[in-house]
Amino acid sequence: MNKKVAFYTLGCKLNFSESSTIARSFVNEGFTRVDFSEKADIYVINTCSVTENADKRFKTIVKQAQKSNPDAFVAAVGCYAQLKPQELADVNGVDLVLGATEKFKITDYLNDLSKNDFGEVHSCEIEEADFYVGSYSIGDRTRAFLKVQDGCDYKCTYCTIPLARGISRSDTMANVLKNAQEISKQNIKEIVLTGVNIGDYGKGEFGNKKHEHTFLDLVKSLDKVKGIERLRISSIEPNLLKNETIELVSKSRAFVPHFHVPLQSGSNTILKKMKRRYMRELYVDRVSKIKEVMPHACIGVDVIVGFPGETDAHFLETYNFLNSLDISYLHVFTYSERDNTEAAKMDGIVAKNVRSKRSKMLRGLSVKKRRAFYESQIGAKRTVLFEGENKEGYIHGFTDNYVKVKAPWNPDLVNTLHKVELTKIDDDGLVRFHFLSHTAEKIRESQNSFKLTRVT
């Protein structure tokens, strides 16, 4: 039939891994995958509901699809599709909405691609989302996102993810390793481990709550898989990031010195209201341990501003706490009320203009922290993996410890690893470097591009 399908993914790395897996199921059915900006017969939007903005963007994306092809079939999957399926189905142009248990079976629902008068909903009670579907992204990037875990048993008062994805459950160790080997055969240099709560890995591995394996077991096993040059841990809860894991990463063959550890608040009072499973003292211990064994490690932090009851004093606690920590950058989230969460019913609502001001202050702190981290790395010798996009005549890449570098565009560098010495920070905040790679016979600059001749 030569039908074309296009995907738009909102939200997290986990969503990207699942979109890629769903896309492969279309290809197996004879579809051709095209870019979302192109004309397609089917547009699949993988939704997110972590923030208010992700909800609002959905209608805009549907309109974008309709502009490319008014007759196209539009399907919505993902977290927002599970939480508010009818709301999505009511959006003009949407034909199909699939919940948490149905999204991986989307091709089963596509016998007739004619437009529907009303959006058709196939959703489930979230208690039914108790089985695991493995996934990974491939073919889109120089790195792959490998899903190892799904769902969450935590009850953070601001979060809808347990309502959207169900209980914590894990892939089997055998399947994770098989997927990692499949990825390594595709000439992908880096794998990022992803999930909702990956430190909880092992729970539900064989359909029960017992941990047959732990996250530490997973890290040890993946480090031995041949062909994988880089492994990166995505966001991991501070209470689940054990010293043994930090020690292992510090001595690892493939795991890189980069951690992303959610904090959410630097005030113990607010952490308790959020029902987080640690206090700020434990967070200090985690950061200190990482820097003790890997002084060059990059540490990213998630933080929420404007949570109900967060006074100016609580916010300043958070600001000063983060300022004092040896961290590298922040991901700042402005609190937004989510239906069916405890926090949405709490007193002490923070005015939106105050939330915005606090967010701006922390984003400014993030710029300062990233700059300080980059400055600390000048003169260091690191390995860079180069990206595949020409950005205004430059190629970008990331060191193992997540310093973003730039060089004049050279397509021969795409998806290659090279040893470099970091030399200076450019005006745009990215880092320049000299090549030290022993795999290159000659690297020269000519007409604003590098020509790389490989030793064969």
PDB file of all heavy atoms in Angstrom, residues 401-429:
ATOM      1  N   ASN A 401      31.411  13.316  30.135  1.00  0.00           N
ATOM      2  CA  ASN A 401      30.822  13.975  31.311  1.00  0.00           C
ATOM      3  C   ASN A 401      29.959  15.181  30.926  1.00  0.00           C
ATOM      4  O   ASN A 401      29.800  16.122  31.696  1.00  0.00           O
ATOM      5  CB  ASN A 401      31.897  14.366  32.331  1.00  0.00           C
ATOM      6  CG  ASN A 401      32.901  15.367  31.793  1.00  0.00           C
ATOM      7  OD1 ASN A 401      33.067  15.520  30.582  1.00  0.00           O
ATOM      8  ND2 ASN A 401      33.588  16.067  32.680  1.00  0.00           N
ATOM      9  N   TYR A 402      29.367  15.123  29.747  1.00  0.00           N
ATOM     10  CA  TYR A 402      28.256  15.976  29.325  1.00  0.00           C
ATOM     11  C   TYR A 402      28.610  17.443  29.151  1.00  0.00           C
ATOM     12  O   TYR A 402      27.782  18.326  29.381  1.00  0.00           O
ATOM     13  CB  TYR A 402      27.082  15.840  30.302  1.00  0.00           C
ATOM     14  CG  TYR A 402      25.724  15.925  29.623  1.00  0.00           C
ATOM     15  CD1 TYR A 402      25.391  15.072  28.582  1.00  0.00           C
ATOM     16  CD2 TYR A 402      24.780  16.851  30.033  1.00  0.00           C
ATOM     17  CE1 TYR A 402      24.154  15.143  27.964  1.00  0.00           C
ATOM     18  CE2 TYR A 402      23.530  16.937  29.427  1.00  0.00           C
ATOM     19  CZ  TYR A 402      23.228  16.085  28.391  1.00  0.00           C
ATOM     20  OH  TYR A 402      21.993  16.161  27.785  1.00  0.00           O
ATOM     21  N   VAL A 403      29.812  17.716  28.720  1.00  0.00           N
ATOM     22  CA  VAL A 403      30.171  19.070  28.296  1.00  0.00           C
ATOM     23  C   VAL A 403      29.841  19.168  26.807  1.00  0.00           C
ATOM     24  O   VAL A 403      30.271  18.333  26.015  1.00  0.00           O
ATOM     25  CB  VAL A 403      31.669  19.357  28.529  1.00  0.00           C
ATOM     26  CG1 VAL A 403      32.055  20.708  27.932  1.00  0.00           C
ATOM     27  CG2 VAL A 403      31.987  19.312  30.015  1.00  0.00           C
ATOM     28  N   LYS A 404      29.076  20.192  26.435  1.00  0.00           N
ATOM     29  CA  LYS A 404      28.681  20.351  25.034  1.00  0.00           C
ATOM     30  C   LYS A 404      29.754  21.134  24.282  1.00  0.00           C
ATOM     31  O   LYS A 404      30.131  22.230  24.680  1.00  0.00           O
ATOM     32  CB  LYS A 404      27.336  21.067  24.935  1.00  0.00           C
ATOM     33  CG  LYS A 404      26.736  21.025  23.542  1.00  0.00           C
ATOM     34  CD  LYS A 404      25.313  21.573  23.530  1.00  0.00           C
ATOM     35  CE  LYS A 404      24.668  21.416  22.156  1.00  0.00           C
ATOM     36  NZ  LYS A 404      23.272  21.907  22.144  1.00  0.00           N
ATOM     37  N   VAL A 405      30.242  20.550  23.185  1.00  0.00           N
ATOM     38  CA  VAL A 405      31.326  21.158  22.412  1.00  0.00           C
ATOM     39  C   VAL A 405      30.843  21.473  21.002  1.00  0.00           C
ATOM     40  O   VAL A 405      29.800  20.985  20.559  1.00  0.00           O
ATOM     41  CB  VAL A 405      32.557  20.233  22.352  1.00  0.00           C
ATOM     42  CG1 VAL A 405      33.026  19.861  23.747  1.00  0.00           C
ATOM     43  CG2 VAL A 405      32.250  18.970  21.537  1.00  0.00           C
ATOM     44  N   LYS A 406      31.631  22.281  20.284  1.00  0.00           N
ATOM     45  CA  LYS A 406      31.292  22.638  18.906  1.00  0.00           C
ATOM     46  C   LYS A 406      32.553  22.721  18.069  1.00  0.00           C
ATOM     47  O   LYS A 406      33.655  22.986  18.586  1.00  0.00           O
ATOM     48  CB  LYS A 406      30.542  23.973  18.857  1.00  0.00           C
ATOM     49  CG  LYS A 406      31.365  25.154  19.338  1.00  0.00           C
ATOM     50  CD  LYS A 406      30.591  26.473  19.345  1.00  0.00           C
ATOM     51  CE  LYS A 406      30.400  27.056  17.982  1.00  0.00           C
ATOM     52  NZ  LYS A 406      29.909  28.470  18.050  1.00  0.00           N
ATOM     53  N   ALA A 407      32.380  22.491  16.766  1.00  0.00           N
ATOM     54  CA  ALA A 407      33.469  22.636  15.799  1.00  0.00           C
ATOM     55  C   ALA A 407      32.836  22.932  14.443  1.00  0.00           C
ATOM     56  O   ALA A 407      31.662  22.625  14.226  1.00  0.00           O
ATOM     57  CB  ALA A 407      34.312  21.360  15.725  1.00  0.00           C
ATOM     58  N   PRO A 408      33.576  23.510  13.506  1.00  0.00           N
ATOM     59  CA  PRO A 408      33.038  23.706  12.169  1.00  0.00           C
ATOM     60  C   PRO A 408      32.508  22.377  11.604  1.00  0.00           C
ATOM     61  O   PRO A 408      33.091  21.319  11.824  1.00  0.00           O
ATOM     62  CB  PRO A 408      34.244  24.214  11.379  1.00  0.00           C
ATOM     63  CG  PRO A 408      35.060  24.937  12.401  1.00  0.00           C
ATOM     64  CD  PRO A 408      34.922  24.119  13.647  1.00  0.00           C
ATOM     65  N   TRP A 409      31.395  22.452  10.893  1.00  0.00           N
ATOM     66  CA  TRP A 409      30.701  21.269  10.400  1.00  0.00           C
ATOM     67  C   TRP A 409      31.609  20.377   9.550  1.00  0.00           C
ATOM     68  O   TRP A 409      32.337  20.843   8.675  1.00  0.00           O
ATOM     69  CB  TRP A 409      29.483  21.676   9.576  1.00  0.00           C
ATOM     70  CG  TRP A 409      28.857  20.523   8.842  1.00  0.00           C
ATOM     71  CD1 TRP A 409      28.908  20.265   7.510  1.00  0.00           C
ATOM     72  CD2 TRP A 409      28.107  19.456   9.426  1.00  0.00           C
ATOM     73  NE1 TRP A 409      28.231  19.114   7.221  1.00  0.00           N
ATOM     74  CE2 TRP A 409      27.723  18.588   8.374  1.00  0.00           C
ATOM     75  CE3 TRP A 409      27.719  19.147  10.732  1.00  0.00           C
ATOM     76  CZ2 TRP A 409      26.958  17.434   8.587  1.00  0.00           C
ATOM     77  CZ3 TRP A 409      26.969  17.999  10.949  1.00  0.00           C
ATOM     78  CH2 TRP A 409      26.591  17.167   9.890  1.00  0.00           C
ATOM     79  N   ASN A 410      31.573  19.105   9.844  1.00  0.00           N
ATOM     80  CA  ASN A 410      32.262  18.105   9.026  1.00  0.00           C
ATOM     81  C   ASN A 410      31.462  16.817   9.111  1.00  0.00           C
ATOM     82  O   ASN A 410      31.404  16.181  10.168  1.00  0.00           O
ATOM     83  CB  ASN A 410      33.684  17.878   9.548  1.00  0.00           C
ATOM     84  CG  ASN A 410      34.391  16.753   8.795  1.00  0.00           C
ATOM     85  OD1 ASN A 410      33.877  16.248   7.796  1.00  0.00           O
ATOM     86  ND2 ASN A 410      35.554  16.363   9.275  1.00  0.00           N
ATOM     87  N   PRO A 411      30.804  16.392   8.037  1.00  0.00           N
ATOM     88  CA  PRO A 411      29.953  15.203   8.082  1.00  0.00           C
ATOM     89  C   PRO A 411      30.697  13.930   8.446  1.00  0.00           C
ATOM     90  O   PRO A 411      30.098  12.983   8.950  1.00  0.00           O
ATOM     91  CB  PRO A 411      29.373  15.125   6.666  1.00  0.00           C
ATOM     92  CG  PRO A 411      30.285  15.942   5.815  1.00  0.00           C
ATOM     93  CD  PRO A 411      30.808  17.020   6.698  1.00  0.00           C
ATOM     94  N   ASP A 412      32.019  13.913   8.214  1.00  0.00           N
ATOM     95  CA  ASP A 412      32.792  12.711   8.548  1.00  0.00           C
ATOM     96  C   ASP A 412      32.873  12.474  10.057  1.00  0.00           C
ATOM     97  O   ASP A 412      33.220  11.383  10.506  1.00  0.00           O
ATOM     98  CB  ASP A 412      34.213  12.813   7.988  1.00  0.00           C
ATOM     99  CG  ASP A 412      34.232  12.763   6.470  1.00  0.00           C
ATOM    100  OD1 ASP A 412      33.266  12.226   5.898  1.00  0.00           O
ATOM    101  OD2 ASP A 412      35.189  13.276   5.866  1.00  0.00           O
ATOM    102  N   LEU A 413      32.584  13.526  10.840  1.00  0.00           N
ATOM    103  CA  LEU A 413      32.665  13.374  12.293  1.00  0.00           C
ATOM    104  C   LEU A 413      31.388  12.793  12.904  1.00  0.00           C
ATOM    105  O   LEU A 413      31.404  12.344  14.047  1.00  0.00           O
ATOM    106  CB  LEU A 413      32.945  14.730  12.948  1.00  0.00           C
ATOM    107  CG  LEU A 413      34.343  15.319  12.752  1.00  0.00           C
ATOM    108  CD1 LEU A 413      34.404  16.715  13.338  1.00  0.00           C
ATOM    109  CD2 LEU A 413      35.399  14.423  13.385  1.00  0.00           C
ATOM    110  N   VAL A 414      30.281  12.810  12.146  1.00  0.00           N
ATOM    111  CA  VAL A 414      28.990  12.390  12.688  1.00  0.00           C
ATOM    112  C   VAL A 414      29.055  10.966  13.241  1.00  0.00           C
ATOM    113  O   VAL A 414      29.561  10.049  12.601  1.00  0.00           O
ATOM    114  CB  VAL A 414      27.891  12.475  11.606  1.00  0.00           C
ATOM    115  CG1 VAL A 414      26.583  11.860  12.111  1.00  0.00           C
ATOM    116  CG2 VAL A 414      27.667  13.922  11.195  1.00  0.00           C
ATOM    117  N   ASN A 415      28.567  10.808  14.484  1.00  0.00           N
ATOM    118  CA  ASN A 415      28.496   9.503  15.151  1.00  0.00           C
ATOM    119  C   ASN A 415      29.869   8.858  15.319  1.00  0.00           C
ATOM    120  O   ASN A 415      30.016   7.635  15.247  1.00  0.00           O
ATOM    121  CB  ASN A 415      27.558   8.555  14.391  1.00  0.00           C
ATOM    122  CG  ASN A 415      27.134   7.368  15.252  1.00  0.00           C
ATOM    123  OD1 ASN A 415      26.949   7.498  16.458  1.00  0.00           O
ATOM    124  ND2 ASN A 415      26.991   6.207  14.634  1.00  0.00           N
ATOM    125  N   THR A 416      30.878   9.683  15.556  1.00  0.00           N
ATOM    126  CA  THR A 416      32.208   9.152  15.847  1.00  0.00           C
ATOM    127  C   THR A 416      32.672   9.669  17.206  1.00  0.00           C
ATOM    128  O   THR A 416      32.244  10.729  17.662  1.00  0.00           O
ATOM    129  CB  THR A 416      33.243   9.553  14.775  1.00  0.00           C
ATOM    130  OG1 THR A 416      33.367  10.988  14.745  1.00  0.00           O
ATOM    131  CG2 THR A 416      32.842   9.044  13.394  1.00  0.00           C
ATOM    132  N   LEU A 417      33.551   8.917  17.822  1.00  0.00           N
ATOM    133  CA  LEU A 417      34.120   9.273  19.121  1.00  0.00           C
ATOM    134  C   LEU A 417      35.569   9.703  18.941  1.00  0.00           C
ATOM    135  O   LEU A 417      36.336   9.025  18.232  1.00  0.00           O
ATOM    136  CB  LEU A 417      34.057   8.075  20.073  1.00  0.00           C
ATOM    137  CG  LEU A 417      32.671   7.716  20.621  1.00  0.00           C
ATOM    138  CD1 LEU A 417      32.615   6.248  20.999  1.00  0.00           C
ATOM    139  CD2 LEU A 417      32.339   8.574  21.818  1.00  0.00           C
ATOM    140  N   HIS A 418      35.949  10.814  19.563  1.00  0.00           N
ATOM    141  CA  HIS A 418      37.320  11.290  19.454  1.00  0.00           C
ATOM    142  C   HIS A 418      37.799  11.860  20.781  1.00  0.00           C
ATOM    143  O   HIS A 418      37.053  12.512  21.499  1.00  0.00           O
ATOM    144  CB  HIS A 418      37.436  12.368  18.371  1.00  0.00           C
ATOM    145  CG  HIS A 418      37.245  11.837  16.993  1.00  0.00           C
ATOM    146  ND1 HIS A 418      38.222  11.177  16.291  1.00  0.00           N
ATOM    147  CD2 HIS A 418      36.144  11.828  16.205  1.00  0.00           C
ATOM    148  CE1 HIS A 418      37.745  10.803  15.118  1.00  0.00           C
ATOM    149  NE2 HIS A 418      36.485  11.183  15.048  1.00  0.00           N
ATOM    150  N   LYS A 419      39.055  11.615  21.057  1.00  0.00           N
ATOM    151  CA  LYS A 419      39.699  12.184  22.230  1.00  0.00           C
ATOM    152  C   LYS A 419      40.075  13.623  21.925  1.00  0.00           C
ATOM    153  O   LYS A 419      40.667  13.924  20.881  1.00  0.00           O
ATOM    154  CB  LYS A 419      40.957  11.381  22.568  1.00  0.00           C
ATOM    155  CG  LYS A 419      41.526  11.683  23.945  1.00  0.00           C
ATOM    156  CD  LYS A 419      40.845  10.890  25.024  1.00  0.00           C
ATOM    157  CE  LYS A 419      41.571  11.063  26.355  1.00  0.00           C
ATOM    158  NZ  LYS A 419      40.896  10.331  27.431  1.00  0.00           N
ATOM    159  N   VAL A 420      39.694  14.537  22.833  1.00  0.00           N
ATOM    160  CA  VAL A 420      39.978  15.952  22.612  1.00  0.00           C
ATOM    161  C   VAL A 420      40.508  16.581  23.897  1.00  0.00           C
ATOM    162  O   VAL A 420      40.356  16.031  24.989  1.00  0.00           O
ATOM    163  CB  VAL A 420      38.710  16.726  22.160  1.00  0.00           C
ATOM    164  CG1 VAL A 420      38.071  16.087  20.934  1.00  0.00           C
ATOM    165  CG2 VAL A 420      37.692  16.843  23.301  1.00  0.00           C
ATOM    166  N   GLU A 421      41.107  17.747  23.734  1.00  0.00           N
ATOM    167  CA  GLU A 421      41.456  18.584  24.883  1.00  0.00           C
ATOM    168  C   GLU A 421      40.574  19.829  24.827  1.00  0.00           C
ATOM    169  O   GLU A 421      40.554  20.536  23.813  1.00  0.00           O
ATOM    170  CB  GLU A 421      42.929  18.989  24.850  1.00  0.00           C
ATOM    171  CG  GLU A 421      43.311  19.869  26.045  1.00  0.00           C
ATOM    172  CD  GLU A 421      44.778  20.276  26.030  1.00  0.00           C
ATOM    173  OE1 GLU A 421      45.519  19.835  25.133  1.00  0.00           O
ATOM    174  OE2 GLU A 421      45.167  21.054  26.925  1.00  0.00           O
ATOM    175  N   LEU A 422      39.836  20.080  25.889  1.00  0.00           N
ATOM    176  CA  LEU A 422      38.949  21.243  25.940  1.00  0.00           C
ATOM    177  C   LEU A 422      39.790  22.502  26.148  1.00  0.00           C
ATOM    178  O   LEU A 422      40.657  22.546  27.034  1.00  0.00           O
ATOM    179  CB  LEU A 422      37.934  21.078  27.066  1.00  0.00           C
ATOM    180  CG  LEU A 422      37.105  19.783  27.016  1.00  0.00           C
ATOM    181  CD1 LEU A 422      36.145  19.707  28.203  1.00  0.00           C
ATOM    182  CD2 LEU A 422      36.342  19.668  25.705  1.00  0.00           C
ATOM    183  N   THR A 423      39.549  23.535  25.322  1.00  0.00           N
ATOM    184  CA  THR A 423      40.461  24.688  25.326  1.00  0.00           C
ATOM    185  C   THR A 423      39.836  25.994  25.794  1.00  0.00           C
ATOM    186  O   THR A 423      40.467  26.774  26.506  1.00  0.00           O
ATOM    187  CB  THR A 423      41.040  24.903  23.913  1.00  0.00           C
ATOM    188  OG1 THR A 423      39.960  25.062  22.977  1.00  0.00           O
ATOM    189  CG2 THR A 423      41.923  23.732  23.509  1.00  0.00           C
ATOM    190  N   LYS A 424      38.572  26.270  25.396  1.00  0.00           N
ATOM    191  CA  LYS A 424      37.975  27.541  25.808  1.00  0.00           C
ATOM    192  C   LYS A 424      36.462  27.479  25.635  1.00  0.00           C
ATOM    193  O   LYS A 424      35.936  26.649  24.900  1.00  0.00           O
ATOM    194  CB  LYS A 424      38.541  28.703  24.990  1.00  0.00           C
ATOM    195  CG  LYS A 424      38.142  28.669  23.517  1.00  0.00           C
ATOM    196  CD  LYS A 424      38.601  29.937  22.805  1.00  0.00           C
ATOM    197  CE  LYS A 424      38.107  29.956  21.351  1.00  0.00           C
ATOM    198  NZ  LYS A 424      38.442  31.201  20.660  1.00  0.00           N
ATOM    199  N   ILE A 425      35.786  28.408  26.320  1.00  0.00           N
ATOM    200  CA  ILE A 425      34.336  28.527  26.195  1.00  0.00           C
ATOM    201  C   ILE A 425      34.039  29.606  25.179  1.00  0.00           C
ATOM    202  O   ILE A 425      34.522  30.731  25.288  1.00  0.00           O
ATOM    203  CB  ILE A 425      33.679  28.856  27.548  1.00  0.00           C
ATOM    204  CG1 ILE A 425      34.017  27.773  28.572  1.00  0.00           C
ATOM    205  CG2 ILE A 425      32.164  28.974  27.394  1.00  0.00           C
ATOM    206  CD1 ILE A 425      33.528  28.067  29.983  1.00  0.00           C
ATOM    207  N   ASP A 426      33.232  29.266  24.174  1.00  0.00           N
ATOM    208  CA  ASP A 426      32.892  30.213  23.108  1.00  0.00           C
ATOM    209  C   ASP A 426      31.847  31.211  23.602  1.00  0.00           C
ATOM    210  O   ASP A 426      31.278  31.068  24.684  1.00  0.00           O
ATOM    211  CB  ASP A 426      32.361  29.442  21.901  1.00  0.00           C
ATOM    212  CG  ASP A 426      32.865  30.046  20.598  1.00  0.00           C
ATOM    213  OD1 ASP A 426      33.305  31.202  20.613  1.00  0.00           O
ATOM    214  OD2 ASP A 426      32.823  29.352  19.555  1.00  0.00           O
ATOM    215  N   ASP A 427      31.560  32.204  22.760  1.00  0.00           N
ATOM    216  CA  ASP A 427      30.610  33.257  23.138  1.00  0.00           C
ATOM    217  C   ASP A 427      29.213  32.707  23.400  1.00  0.00           C
ATOM    218  O   ASP A 427      28.446  33.287  24.181  1.00  0.00           O
ATOM    219  CB  ASP A 427      30.537  34.328  22.044  1.00  0.00           C
ATOM    220  CG  ASP A 427      31.824  35.129  21.928  1.00  0.00           C
ATOM    221  OD1 ASP A 427      32.608  35.113  22.908  1.00  0.00           O
ATOM    222  OD2 ASP A 427      32.050  35.757  20.879  1.00  0.00           O
ATOM    223  N   ASP A 428      28.847  31.603  22.731  1.00  0.00           N
ATOM    224  CA  ASP A 428      27.510  31.024  22.917  1.00  0.00           C
ATOM    225  C   ASP A 428      27.451  30.037  24.079  1.00  0.00           C
ATOM    226  O   ASP A 428      26.430  29.393  24.312  1.00  0.00           O
ATOM    227  CB  ASP A 428      27.039  30.339  21.637  1.00  0.00           C
ATOM    228  CG  ASP A 428      27.983  29.233  21.179  1.00  0.00           C
ATOM    229  OD1 ASP A 428      28.974  28.952  21.896  1.00  0.00           O
ATOM    230  OD2 ASP A 428      27.740  28.660  20.094  1.00  0.00           O
ATOM    231  N   GLY A 429      28.555  29.924  24.822  1.00  0.00           N
ATOM    232  CA  GLY A 429      28.582  29.057  26.000  1.00  0.00           C
ATOM    233  C   GLY A 429      29.029  27.641  25.732  1.00  0.00           C
ATOM    234  O   GLY A 429      29.195  26.856  26.671  1.00  0.00           O
TER     235      GLY A 429
END
